[in-house]
Amino acid sequence: MLGPFIAVLRRDLLLAWRGRADVLVTIGFFVVVACLFPFGVGAEPNQLREIAPGILWVDALLATLLSLHRLFAQDHADGSLEQLLLSPEPTVLWVSAKVLAYWLTTSLPLVIAAPGLGLLFDMEQGSLKVLCLSLLLGTPMLSLLGAVGAALTLGLRGGGMLLALLVLPLFVPVLIFGAGAVDAYLGGSGSDAHLLLLAGGSLAALVLAPWACAAALRIAAE
Amino acid sequence: MLEIRDLSCLRGDRLLFADLDLSVLPGERVRLLGPNGVGKTTLLRCLCGLIDPEEGEIHWNGHSIRSEREDFHRQLLYIGHSTALNDLLTPLENLRFTCRAGTDQVEEQACVEALERIGLGAQIDLPCRALSQGQRRRVGLARLFLGGERRLWILDEPFNALDVAAVADLASSLDAHCAAGGIVVLTTHQDVSFSHPGRVVDLAGHAC
């Protein structure tokens, strides 16, 4: 039953390793965009400290978006997608494996890089911890929702822009609760509610998104 | 047994063919004929279940391929126009992945032997982007040697880009599959000498 899941996960992780330049570009983008903000809004430490969670969250969202179109594009172009659709096991299985591999190779490095960038904005220890936790719980939802968008725009001309238009509005709730978690922590009301909502959203996306993705991929392969 | 009843297929807004009836018995080889654009590839993809037909039904062993999808796909081996190879992986990794994704339990050694048999023994560890068109084709076809359990082979232009010896070898593999009670449905524009002529279906007769 898990054969295709493991096969796809192993292959995608291997491919990410072989094409690690792509992963590095995403992290580089994440770092560079965060570094641009002090130039734009001025290097006033209190102000930067205050807007840091929002900046890092928007940044993570854009970095995710940057690499999202790659998720199914190669498999669609070389015909692997057809072979996967002809697998006897349910499509949602291997779609989940692809999204998991994507999250491990794109979002997880962002979560790991975030504390370093947080220090750049002089965030204090406690809020850094909350920020990382919120990214850890929220990015799976970004990957899952993004995967649906990537599957829907697969093979379309100008698919990249359409993908951005399609998924950015869906990312708004994640952004609100993600960045809000740190504000709530600093405001003294505790970040638990925000983090639980992010985790709940990710779980709901985990249940629903692979089905939507599978349906969209079947249409794209026609 | 593969049965096609009253099949019609759309591509875009155009009706490609209509009222196609065909039943293929175990051991038969069917070759689809017709000029470019008549719908050969569309029909093959329809038979695999990748495209839904506009009208009509496709049955495998008496069951609709849509309602019994999983069983049908366990019996089906499809090799399409595109080779389904990732350029960053080696032929061995690609072949092993295709087999495992299709839930075929194959040993690494069997994959190596299949690649050696099809003449890629020296390229096993090269990334696929270094292979020629014909060699890429062969990697895809190596799957045929590992798909003995699968009764229905659907092959879209399998002889493309192959050299003379490889064509003869592939033809004899298809013969052997049919002799063992399997079904082969293929398209090709080349004249290939099989041990027996097999059935020919001219799609031009059903074109709209």
Side-chain angles (χ1 to χ4, degrees):
Chain A
M1 178 85 175
L2 281 177
F5 181 89
I6 293 165
V8 169
L9 184 63
R10 279 181 54 175
R11 184 189 78 137
D12 277 21
L13 291 178
L14 181 63
L15 281 175
W17 175 246
R18 297 257 164 96
R20 46 193 177 276
D22 288 340
V23 177
L24 290 176
V25 164
T26 309
I27 302 173
F29 178 85
F30 185 59
V31 172
V32 168
V33 168
C35 292
L36 283 180
F37 275 85
F39 295 109
V41 299
E44 210 282 302
N46 283 328
Q47 189 190 13
L48 285 180
R49 198 177 302 127
E50 203 166 301
I51 60 174
I55 290 174
L56 291 179
W57 255 101
V58 171
D59 195 4
L61 212 131
L62 292 178
T64 305
L65 196 63
L66 190 72
S67 48
L68 211 48
H69 67 97
R70 279 204 311 268
L71 187 50
F72 299 111
Q74 183 58 40
D75 287 347
H76 184 245
D78 68 21
S80 305
L81 194 64
E82 284 179 353
Q83 290 298 335
L84 283 168
L85 284 169
L86 294 178
S87 164
E89 298 297 346
T91 311
V92 282
L93 265 186
W94 59 261
V95 167
S96 312
K98 277 198 90 71
V99 180
L100 175 60
Y102 172 80
W103 183 80
L104 287 173
T105 55
T106 313
S107 299
L108 199 57
L110 299 185
V111 177
I112 294 168
L117 291 174
L119 286 178
L120 201 73
F121 288 94
D122 195 26
M123 285 173 75
E124 49 122 349
Q125 207 85 52
S127 43
L128 264 185
K129 214 186 279 173
V130 175
L131 175 74
C132 286
L133 209 54
S134 71
L135 281 170
L136 198 63
L137 294 173
T139 44
M141 193 166 162
L142 296 186
S143 301
L144 286 158
L145 290 176
V148 178
L152 280 172
T153 54
L154 196 58
L156 294 185
R157 206 162 35 84
M161 281 313 285
L162 193 60
L163 175 61
L165 280 178
L166 208 60
V167 299
L168 279 179
L170 297 176
F171 285 177
V172 170
V174 192
L175 181 62
I176 292 173
F177 292 113
V182 184
D183 290 338
Y185 168 79
L186 290 173
S189 61
S191 54
D192 288 1
H194 289 80
L195 294 177
L196 284 173
L197 271 169
L198 282 177
S202 286
L203 285 176
L206 181 64
V207 175
L208 298 174
W211 295 94
C213 229
L217 287 175
R218 247 175 250 126
I219 295 169
E222 274 201 1
Chain B
M1 178 169 136
L2 182 71
E3 268 185 299
I4 302 170
R5 297 181 198 148
D6 290 332
L7 199 73
S8 308
C9 269
L10 275 182
R11 203 77 191 116
D13 290 333
R14 200 167 72 87
L15 193 60
L16 286 175
F17 50 82
D19 304 327
L20 182 70
D21 286 289
L22 181 68
S23 49
V24 190
L25 296 170
E28 274 194 298
R29 188 186 61 243
V30 176
R31 177 179 168 190
L32 301 177
L33 269 189
N36 294 129
V38 80
K40 298 187 291 294
T41 295
T42 307
L43 175 58
L44 291 186
R45 290 168 57 88
C46 237
L47 292 181
C48 295
L50 284 170
I51 303 179
D52 285 334
E54 182 64 12
E55 271 176 49
E57 283 179 43
I58 303 166
H59 288 246
W60 172 252
N61 289 340
H63 301 286
S64 159
I65 63 165
R66 283 162 59 87
S67 58
E68 304 280 324
R69 184 194 81 86
E70 296 185 5
D71 280 339
F72 174 63
H73 282 165
R74 241 176 263 287
Q75 301 279 312
L76 167 76
L77 204 163
Y78 169 69
I79 296 180
H81 264 297
S82 34
T83 47
L85 300 184
N86 193 296
D87 278 348
L88 294 177
L89 300 178
T90 66
L92 181 60
E93 287 162 341
N94 268 309
L95 183 62
R96 207 172 45 196
F97 169 72
T98 326
C99 289
R100 298 220 168 125
T103 66
D104 285 342
Q105 300 297 330
V106 287
E107 298 297 319
E108 174 121 1
Q109 191 52 35
C111 291
V112 173
E113 279 165 15
L115 286 169
E116 279 169 353
R117 182 171 161 196
I118 206 152
L120 289 171
Q123 285 84 16
I124 275 182
D125 289 326
L126 280 181
C128 277
R129 63 169 177 271
L131 301 185
S132 75
Q133 206 56 37
Q135 286 174 325
R136 298 171 67 92
R137 195 80 213 164
R138 286 175 189 229
V139 179
L141 292 170
R143 179 98 200 279
L144 295 177
F145 299 133
L146 301 166
E149 307 280 295
R150 296 173 178 248
R151 311 310 306 159
L152 174 62
W153 290 3
I154 294 186
L155 312 173
D156 197 351
E157 299 280 356
F159 299 104
N160 262 9
L162 291 184
D163 60 34
V164 180
V167 167
D169 190 27
L170 177 59
S172 66
S173 307
L174 299 188
D175 280 333
H177 180 66
C178 289
I183 294 179
V184 177
V185 181
L186 79 159
T187 64
T188 177
H189 288 290
Q190 297 182 33
D191 281 319
V192 181
S193 55
F194 288 104
S195 66
H196 67 99
R199 255 169 82 184
V200 172
V201 173
D202 194 349
L203 268 189
H206 299 271
C208 295

PDB file of all heavy atoms in Angstrom, chain A residues 147-168:
ATOM      1  N   ALA A 147       0.142  23.355  -3.372  1.00  0.00           N
ATOM      2  CA  ALA A 147       0.167  22.202  -4.269  1.00  0.00           C
ATOM      3  C   ALA A 147      -1.118  22.136  -5.094  1.00  0.00           C
ATOM      4  O   ALA A 147      -1.091  21.790  -6.278  1.00  0.00           O
ATOM      5  CB  ALA A 147       0.348  20.917  -3.471  1.00  0.00           C
ATOM      6  N   VAL A 148      -2.245  22.483  -4.466  1.00  0.00           N
ATOM      7  CA  VAL A 148      -3.512  22.493  -5.225  1.00  0.00           C
ATOM      8  C   VAL A 148      -3.421  23.523  -6.345  1.00  0.00           C
ATOM      9  O   VAL A 148      -3.783  23.248  -7.498  1.00  0.00           O
ATOM     10  CB  VAL A 148      -4.701  22.817  -4.299  1.00  0.00           C
ATOM     11  CG1 VAL A 148      -5.986  22.868  -5.099  1.00  0.00           C
ATOM     12  CG2 VAL A 148      -4.807  21.788  -3.201  1.00  0.00           C
ATOM     13  N   GLY A 149      -2.899  24.701  -6.019  1.00  0.00           N
ATOM     14  CA  GLY A 149      -2.737  25.743  -7.035  1.00  0.00           C
ATOM     15  C   GLY A 149      -1.797  25.300  -8.137  1.00  0.00           C
ATOM     16  O   GLY A 149      -2.062  25.504  -9.322  1.00  0.00           O
ATOM     17  N   ALA A 150      -0.689  24.669  -7.746  1.00  0.00           N
ATOM     18  CA  ALA A 150       0.292  24.212  -8.741  1.00  0.00           C
ATOM     19  C   ALA A 150      -0.330  23.171  -9.661  1.00  0.00           C
ATOM     20  O   ALA A 150      -0.082  23.174 -10.868  1.00  0.00           O
ATOM     21  CB  ALA A 150       1.513  23.632  -8.036  1.00  0.00           C
ATOM     22  N   ALA A 151      -1.158  22.297  -9.092  1.00  0.00           N
ATOM     23  CA  ALA A 151      -1.792  21.263  -9.919  1.00  0.00           C
ATOM     24  C   ALA A 151      -2.826  21.887 -10.863  1.00  0.00           C
ATOM     25  O   ALA A 151      -2.947  21.486 -12.016  1.00  0.00           O
ATOM     26  CB  ALA A 151      -2.454  20.215  -9.031  1.00  0.00           C
ATOM     27  N   LEU A 152      -3.546  22.906 -10.357  1.00  0.00           N
ATOM     28  CA  LEU A 152      -4.581  23.540 -11.190  1.00  0.00           C
ATOM     29  C   LEU A 152      -3.981  24.311 -12.352  1.00  0.00           C
ATOM     30  O   LEU A 152      -4.575  24.403 -13.418  1.00  0.00           O
ATOM     31  CB  LEU A 152      -5.424  24.487 -10.336  1.00  0.00           C
ATOM     32  CG  LEU A 152      -6.518  23.852  -9.483  1.00  0.00           C
ATOM     33  CD1 LEU A 152      -7.126  24.881  -8.559  1.00  0.00           C
ATOM     34  CD2 LEU A 152      -7.581  23.227 -10.361  1.00  0.00           C
ATOM     35  N   THR A 153      -2.802  24.906 -12.153  1.00  0.00           N
ATOM     36  CA  THR A 153      -2.209  25.737 -13.205  1.00  0.00           C
ATOM     37  C   THR A 153      -1.194  24.966 -14.030  1.00  0.00           C
ATOM     38  O   THR A 153      -0.485  25.550 -14.841  1.00  0.00           O
ATOM     39  CB  THR A 153      -1.517  26.971 -12.599  1.00  0.00           C
ATOM     40  OG1 THR A 153      -0.582  26.527 -11.617  1.00  0.00           O
ATOM     41  CG2 THR A 153      -2.504  27.900 -11.963  1.00  0.00           C
ATOM     42  N   LEU A 154      -1.121  23.658 -13.823  1.00  0.00           N
ATOM     43  CA  LEU A 154      -0.121  22.847 -14.518  1.00  0.00           C
ATOM     44  C   LEU A 154      -0.341  22.889 -16.023  1.00  0.00           C
ATOM     45  O   LEU A 154      -1.443  22.662 -16.508  1.00  0.00           O
ATOM     46  CB  LEU A 154      -0.225  21.406 -14.017  1.00  0.00           C
ATOM     47  CG  LEU A 154       0.934  20.478 -14.311  1.00  0.00           C
ATOM     48  CD1 LEU A 154       2.209  21.027 -13.736  1.00  0.00           C
ATOM     49  CD2 LEU A 154       0.649  19.115 -13.735  1.00  0.00           C
ATOM     50  N   GLY A 155       0.736  23.174 -16.752  1.00  0.00           N
ATOM     51  CA  GLY A 155       0.661  23.146 -18.206  1.00  0.00           C
ATOM     52  C   GLY A 155       0.008  24.362 -18.830  1.00  0.00           C
ATOM     53  O   GLY A 155      -0.144  24.413 -20.038  1.00  0.00           O
ATOM     54  N   LEU A 156      -0.390  25.350 -18.009  1.00  0.00           N
ATOM     55  CA  LEU A 156      -1.002  26.546 -18.578  1.00  0.00           C
ATOM     56  C   LEU A 156       0.072  27.546 -18.976  1.00  0.00           C
ATOM     57  O   LEU A 156       1.127  27.616 -18.359  1.00  0.00           O
ATOM     58  CB  LEU A 156      -1.921  27.220 -17.557  1.00  0.00           C
ATOM     59  CG  LEU A 156      -3.160  26.451 -17.133  1.00  0.00           C
ATOM     60  CD1 LEU A 156      -3.997  27.315 -16.215  1.00  0.00           C
ATOM     61  CD2 LEU A 156      -3.969  26.049 -18.359  1.00  0.00           C
ATOM     62  N   ARG A 157      -0.213  28.335 -19.995  1.00  0.00           N
ATOM     63  CA  ARG A 157       0.702  29.398 -20.392  1.00  0.00           C
ATOM     64  C   ARG A 157       0.616  30.505 -19.333  1.00  0.00           C
ATOM     65  O   ARG A 157      -0.465  30.862 -18.888  1.00  0.00           O
ATOM     66  CB  ARG A 157       0.270  29.942 -21.755  1.00  0.00           C
ATOM     67  CG  ARG A 157       1.368  30.559 -22.564  1.00  0.00           C
ATOM     68  CD  ARG A 157       0.944  30.640 -24.036  1.00  0.00           C
ATOM     69  NE  ARG A 157      -0.493  30.902 -24.182  1.00  0.00           N
ATOM     70  CZ  ARG A 157      -1.033  32.128 -24.135  1.00  0.00           C
ATOM     71  NH1 ARG A 157      -0.276  33.179 -23.946  1.00  0.00           N
ATOM     72  NH2 ARG A 157      -2.333  32.295 -24.288  1.00  0.00           N
ATOM     73  N   GLY A 158       1.751  31.002 -18.907  1.00  0.00           N
ATOM     74  CA  GLY A 158       1.749  32.008 -17.849  1.00  0.00           C
ATOM     75  C   GLY A 158       1.225  31.463 -16.542  1.00  0.00           C
ATOM     76  O   GLY A 158       0.635  32.184 -15.737  1.00  0.00           O
ATOM     77  N   GLY A 159       1.432  30.174 -16.327  1.00  0.00           N
ATOM     78  CA  GLY A 159       0.913  29.514 -15.131  1.00  0.00           C
ATOM     79  C   GLY A 159       1.473  30.089 -13.841  1.00  0.00           C
ATOM     80  O   GLY A 159       0.787  30.094 -12.821  1.00  0.00           O
ATOM     81  N   GLY A 160       2.718  30.580 -13.892  1.00  0.00           N
ATOM     82  CA  GLY A 160       3.367  31.094 -12.682  1.00  0.00           C
ATOM     83  C   GLY A 160       2.614  32.258 -12.060  1.00  0.00           C
ATOM     84  O   GLY A 160       2.354  32.277 -10.857  1.00  0.00           O
ATOM     85  N   MET A 161       2.232  33.226 -12.909  1.00  0.00           N
ATOM     86  CA  MET A 161       1.510  34.396 -12.407  1.00  0.00           C
ATOM     87  C   MET A 161       0.124  34.006 -11.906  1.00  0.00           C
ATOM     88  O   MET A 161      -0.336  34.465 -10.860  1.00  0.00           O
ATOM     89  CB  MET A 161       1.357  35.451 -13.519  1.00  0.00           C
ATOM     90  CG  MET A 161       2.582  36.286 -13.758  1.00  0.00           C
ATOM     91  SD  MET A 161       3.275  36.900 -12.216  1.00  0.00           S
ATOM     92  CE  MET A 161       2.093  38.179 -11.840  1.00  0.00           C
ATOM     93  N   LEU A 162      -0.522  33.145 -12.672  1.00  0.00           N
ATOM     94  CA  LEU A 162      -1.861  32.698 -12.304  1.00  0.00           C
ATOM     95  C   LEU A 162      -1.823  31.973 -10.963  1.00  0.00           C
ATOM     96  O   LEU A 162      -2.691  32.158 -10.106  1.00  0.00           O
ATOM     97  CB  LEU A 162      -2.389  31.771 -13.398  1.00  0.00           C
ATOM     98  CG  LEU A 162      -3.868  31.453 -13.359  1.00  0.00           C
ATOM     99  CD1 LEU A 162      -4.677  32.730 -13.476  1.00  0.00           C
ATOM    100  CD2 LEU A 162      -4.233  30.492 -14.467  1.00  0.00           C
ATOM    101  N   LEU A 163      -0.775  31.184 -10.795  1.00  0.00           N
ATOM    102  CA  LEU A 163      -0.589  30.449  -9.544  1.00  0.00           C
ATOM    103  C   LEU A 163      -0.528  31.421  -8.372  1.00  0.00           C
ATOM    104  O   LEU A 163      -1.185  31.226  -7.345  1.00  0.00           O
ATOM    105  CB  LEU A 163       0.695  29.625  -9.634  1.00  0.00           C
ATOM    106  CG  LEU A 163       1.138  28.871  -8.387  1.00  0.00           C
ATOM    107  CD1 LEU A 163       0.086  27.873  -7.976  1.00  0.00           C
ATOM    108  CD2 LEU A 163       2.455  28.163  -8.639  1.00  0.00           C
ATOM    109  N   ALA A 164       0.246  32.511  -8.550  1.00  0.00           N
ATOM    110  CA  ALA A 164       0.380  33.507  -7.481  1.00  0.00           C
ATOM    111  C   ALA A 164      -0.986  34.121  -7.160  1.00  0.00           C
ATOM    112  O   ALA A 164      -1.376  34.239  -5.995  1.00  0.00           O
ATOM    113  CB  ALA A 164       1.373  34.577  -7.891  1.00  0.00           C
ATOM    114  N   LEU A 165      -1.723  34.491  -8.212  1.00  0.00           N
ATOM    115  CA  LEU A 165      -3.042  35.103  -8.005  1.00  0.00           C
ATOM    116  C   LEU A 165      -3.990  34.141  -7.305  1.00  0.00           C
ATOM    117  O   LEU A 165      -4.824  34.532  -6.492  1.00  0.00           O
ATOM    118  CB  LEU A 165      -3.653  35.493  -9.354  1.00  0.00           C
ATOM    119  CG  LEU A 165      -3.148  36.782  -9.970  1.00  0.00           C
ATOM    120  CD1 LEU A 165      -3.810  37.007 -11.316  1.00  0.00           C
ATOM    121  CD2 LEU A 165      -3.463  37.944  -9.040  1.00  0.00           C
ATOM    122  N   LEU A 166      -3.842  32.884  -7.637  1.00  0.00           N
ATOM    123  CA  LEU A 166      -4.749  31.864  -7.116  1.00  0.00           C
ATOM    124  C   LEU A 166      -4.486  31.570  -5.643  1.00  0.00           C
ATOM    125  O   LEU A 166      -5.417  31.474  -4.843  1.00  0.00           O
ATOM    126  CB  LEU A 166      -4.549  30.587  -7.945  1.00  0.00           C
ATOM    127  CG  LEU A 166      -5.703  29.627  -8.094  1.00  0.00           C
ATOM    128  CD1 LEU A 166      -6.856  30.312  -8.759  1.00  0.00           C
ATOM    129  CD2 LEU A 166      -5.252  28.422  -8.907  1.00  0.00           C
ATOM    130  N   VAL A 167      -3.218  31.418  -5.283  1.00  0.00           N
ATOM    131  CA  VAL A 167      -2.950  30.931  -3.933  1.00  0.00           C
ATOM    132  C   VAL A 167      -2.684  32.040  -2.921  1.00  0.00           C
ATOM    133  O   VAL A 167      -2.918  31.827  -1.726  1.00  0.00           O
ATOM    134  CB  VAL A 167      -1.794  29.889  -3.883  1.00  0.00           C
ATOM    135  CG1 VAL A 167      -2.142  28.688  -4.711  1.00  0.00           C
ATOM    136  CG2 VAL A 167      -0.487  30.493  -4.310  1.00  0.00           C
ATOM    137  N   LEU A 168      -2.235  33.225  -3.357  1.00  0.00           N
ATOM    138  CA  LEU A 168      -1.926  34.263  -2.358  1.00  0.00           C
ATOM    139  C   LEU A 168      -3.127  34.610  -1.476  1.00  0.00           C
ATOM    140  O   LEU A 168      -2.977  34.722  -0.257  1.00  0.00           O
ATOM    141  CB  LEU A 168      -1.339  35.499  -3.034  1.00  0.00           C
ATOM    142  CG  LEU A 168       0.160  35.383  -3.352  1.00  0.00           C
ATOM    143  CD1 LEU A 168       0.670  36.634  -4.051  1.00  0.00           C
ATOM    144  CD2 LEU A 168       0.988  35.109  -2.105  1.00  0.00           C
TER     145      LEU A 168
END
